[in-house]
Amino acid sequence: MPKRILSFTILLFFLSSCNLPAGGNPTPTMDLVATQVAAILTSQPTVPPLPSDTPVPTDQPAQPTLPAETPGTTPTSSPEPSFTPTTLSDDPRQVLGNPTFVDTLDNGRSFGLQDKSYDDDYTFIRVENGALVLTSRYAIGYRGWRTGGAKIGNAYLETLVRTGECNGLDTYGLVFRSSDFVNGYWFQLTCDGKWAFGYWDGQQYVNLAEGGNVNDAIRTGSNQTNRIGVYAVGSNYTLYVNGVKIREISDNTFTEPGSYGIVIAARNTPNFTVYAEEFAIWKLD
């Protein structure tokens, strides 16, 4: 425990040093900062809940453990999310026109992975062949994630993710509004076509909503590509998969701009791998 507190203190020093006035210590580059926080990004031991038809509340373990037979959902103390109508019911990519920015992952600079990779024995992360690639080594539900890029606020954010071999509750998804490279919202899909939306607050995962395959929007099974999107304005979020609206949710846990990335967890398939081949951003401010 002391080592983890010391590591987090060092992380806060590096992050705060980015805001030093001119004439102070040299400002770390995005590449350096991302490298410094990499150990925390995937070493956080979490086994948050996955979508299920019969959710059962469970306590979040402090260390990696085998997943429960029935995935749990939001702790009973967490507020129930509300839902807000949106006028953007069609595919945002078609409605909004050209994106403000597209990261095609030609190199790993935006994720602190240029000419390097990250491996903590549980999760192996690298950028290769035009994709951010994450491998979850053991089918125990251990979550690993990587965030980077520019911090964005109100925006439609979309990523194109291809799966390798997968089964059942092998999980992957989009991370966004991560203000410190650790906290943030997760919009997750499973290999068999379920979805969940929640957030990691630095201590535990809180599930806000989950469900099945709406209008068969999620392409299931191995070697499939899904376009995962979130239309985020203030505290309102509309979730999309392959241009199909999945759910509208309101939650005010994270309203400030934050970075984005990918989360992964193998539950059924050792060495489960996903390939994020693009991140596209439409700013709405």
Side-chain angles (χ1 to χ4, degrees), residues 70-101:
T70 304
T73 68
T74 314
T76 55
S77 60
S78 299
E80 188 70 21
S82 59
F83 304 94
T84 303
T86 177
T87 57
L88 196 62
S89 58
D90 296 327
D91 184 352
R93 178 177 279 271
Q94 302 302 320
V95 174
L96 296 175
N98 294 329
T100 307
F101 172 76

Side-chain angles (χ1 to χ4, degrees), residues 20 46 215 228 277:
L20 288 175
T46 75
N215 296 326
I228 307 170
E277 297 174 334

Side-chain angles (χ1 to χ4, degrees), residues 28-59:
T29 64
M30 180 64 188
D31 196 49
L32 175 60
V33 172
T35 301
Q36 292 292 338
V37 303
I40 287 184
L41 296 185
T42 53
S43 64
Q44 292 289 348
T46 75
V47 187
L50 289 172
S52 65
D53 293 330
T54 55
V56 177
T58 60
D59 294 330

Side-chain angles (χ1 to χ4, degrees), residues 144-252:
W145 66 96
R146 187 80 179 191
T147 62
K151 291 186 176 182
I152 58 174
N154 294 333
Y156 175 63
L157 170 64
E158 187 178 87
T159 184
L160 199 63
V161 182
R162 175 170 52 91
T163 61
E165 180 181 349
C166 68
N167 291 282
L169 293 178
D170 290 332
T171 302
Y172 61 99
L174 176 64
V175 180
F176 69 102
R177 286 201 177 167
S178 178
S179 61
D180 59 1
F181 298 98
V182 178
N183 298 339
Y185 288 110
W186 296 357
F187 177 25
Q188 306 158 88
L189 306 182
T190 64
C191 184
D192 62 1
K194 297 180 178 67
W195 65 271
F197 182 80
Y199 62 85
W200 172 256
D201 66 4
Q203 299 296 324
Q204 67 174 352
Y205 175 84
V206 177
N207 203 46
L208 295 175
E210 59 186 40
N213 198 348
V214 178
N215 296 326
D216 293 325
I218 303 171
R219 294 168 184 157
T220 61
S222 303
N223 305 311
Q224 297 293 326
T225 298
N226 282 294
R227 187 160 49 93
I228 307 170
V230 176
Y231 191 94
V233 177
S235 60
N236 301 318
Y237 309 101
T238 308
L239 314 178
Y240 294 87
V241 177
N242 297 317
V244 176
K245 185 166 72 173
I246 302 299
R247 187 73 172 265
E248 299 168 2
I249 300 172
S250 291
D251 180 79
N252 61 6

